[in-house]
Amino acid sequence: MSQHHKEARFNPKLRTDMTPQQIAEMFDDFADDYDEEVLEKGLRAHELVGDFLATTYPESDRSSLKVLDVGAGTGFVGLKLKALGFTYVDALDPAQKMLDVAKTRNVYRRLICAFMDKNRVEEIETDFYDCITATAAFNEGLVPCNAFAQMIRIVKPGGRIVFTIPQKNINNAVEYRDRLLPLIDKLAAEGAWEVTAIPLADGQLAKSLGPGILYSLKVNVSEKYFEI
Ligand SMILES: C[S@@+](CC[C@H](N)C(=O)[O-])C[C@H]1O[C@@H](n2cnc3c(N)ncnc32)[C@H](O)[C@@H]1O
């Protein structure tokens, strides 16, 4: 494992010149230590997203809802959702070794090794999922803004994209600053989705990570809506 990869795990500035493939390799290298290191940092975005889904979907609906966990990593969201009664949850992640750990948890139906980006994820049918989740995946070098077109394709009209993002990533990440919020606002203004934005205080996403936002984007349109 390169020293650069190890240092880049928690240092977004070191990821600005990495390719998506290098990012996936970085997470492959991280897979064995990921749980211990991030739990030590108090990561609990998966708890927040799980609790949000639990307030959104009544218990009686949960076993029939199809959920895709984007940037699933080692499966924290899957574990939380299973405990809440969501039984149809798939995982997508470009780092096979992270998915290998997730598989051992027996909480996902399918594990899809792919990037969520501007490219079509061939393994996934259009309008297939009721809900997409993503935690700790909106960070420098990870899920890009143009992935929303693909997420809109695979989520059913009326479905939701639910994710968390630290405020400092919105402000500082090259991919998101000046782009993410204008994009969310533009699609909202055009009626493509309805936005719920829940402010999160310092400590809610992880220890000392600063404030953040939990977004729920209720998608009103199909893939044909537009090219982002
Ligand atoms: C910090 S981990 C978060 C894992 C998990 N969601 C959690 O909360 O612990 C970020 C994950 O996003 C994945 N990832 C990186 N780029 C991605 C992309 N373009 N699409 C989907 N996942 C991506 C990484 O491989 C990694 O497993």
Side-chain angles (χ1 to χ4, degrees):
M1 175 195 329
S2 82
Q3 191 58 24
H4 184 273
H5 277 193
K6 196 159 187 188
E7 286 167 11
R9 290 175 179 176
F10 295 112
N11 186 342
K13 289 192 184 122
L14 294 179
R15 296 200 295 267
T16 51
D17 59 354
M18 287 170 69
T19 65
Q21 200 51 49
Q22 288 170 326
I23 296 284
E25 286 164 12
M26 179 187 83
F27 279 103
D28 274 331
D29 290 343
F30 199 177
D32 290 341
D33 310 325
Y34 179 85
D35 291 8
E36 196 181 329
E37 289 195 27
V38 304
L39 289 176
E40 204 266 324
K41 290 183 183 298
L43 181 73
R44 48 184 310 282
H46 50 286
E47 299 283 343
L48 301 178
V49 163
D51 290 341
F52 180 84
L53 262 58
T55 61
T56 304
Y57 299 109
E59 223 165 329
S60 54
D61 293 351
R62 291 182 199 162
S63 60
S64 58
L65 279 168
K66 292 184 180 134
V67 181
L68 178 69
D69 184 22
V70 166
T74 60
F76 287 151
V77 172
L79 278 170
K80 174 74 178 178
L81 291 183
K82 188 172 187 190
L84 290 167
F86 294 88
T87 52
Y88 197 123
V89 187
D90 291 343
L92 178 142
D93 200 290
Q96 183 60 53
K97 288 187 181 156
M98 295 289 274
L99 288 178
D100 291 345
V101 178
K103 189 172 184 189
T104 65
R105 301 205 137 116
N106 294 319
V107 291
Y108 296 111
R109 292 202 180 199
R110 286 177 80 193
L111 296 113
I112 302 164
C113 189
F115 291 94
M116 188 59 74
D117 58 16
K118 67 177 185 337
N119 299 315
R120 189 181 178 89
V121 184
E122 292 297 345
E123 295 93 328
I124 303 178
E125 285 169 41
T126 299
D127 296 342
F128 189 78
Y129 289 104
D130 298 284
C131 184
I132 291 175
T133 57
T135 61
F138 281 83
N139 205 331
E140 191 75 82
L142 308 189
V143 177
C145 289
N146 60 16
F148 281 109
Q150 195 54 211
M151 290 194 260
I152 287 171
R153 179 183 77 77
I154 62 182
V155 84
K156 297 173 188 170
R160 289 182 171 82
I161 302 168
V162 180
F163 67 99
T164 54
I165 182 164
Q167 187 63 45
K168 65 180 175 191
N169 295 0
I170 296 176
N171 299 346
N172 303 333
V174 176
E175 177 62 24
Y176 309 133
R177 66 176 184 227
D178 309 323
R179 290 189 67 200
L180 181 64
L181 298 196
L183 174 67
I184 290 174
D185 289 347
K186 178 173 178 284
L187 267 75
E190 292 172 355
W193 55 33
E194 292 155 46
V195 180
T196 303
I198 301 174
L200 305 170
D202 182 20
Q204 280 190 273
L205 283 172
K207 275 186 243 166
S208 316
L209 192 60
I213 304 180
L214 183 152
Y215 279 106
S216 168
L217 309 173
K218 185 163 182 276
V219 176
N220 294 324
V221 292
S222 70
E223 67 168 329
K224 293 187 179 62
Y225 180 61
F226 74 118
E227 294 262 287
I228 294 175

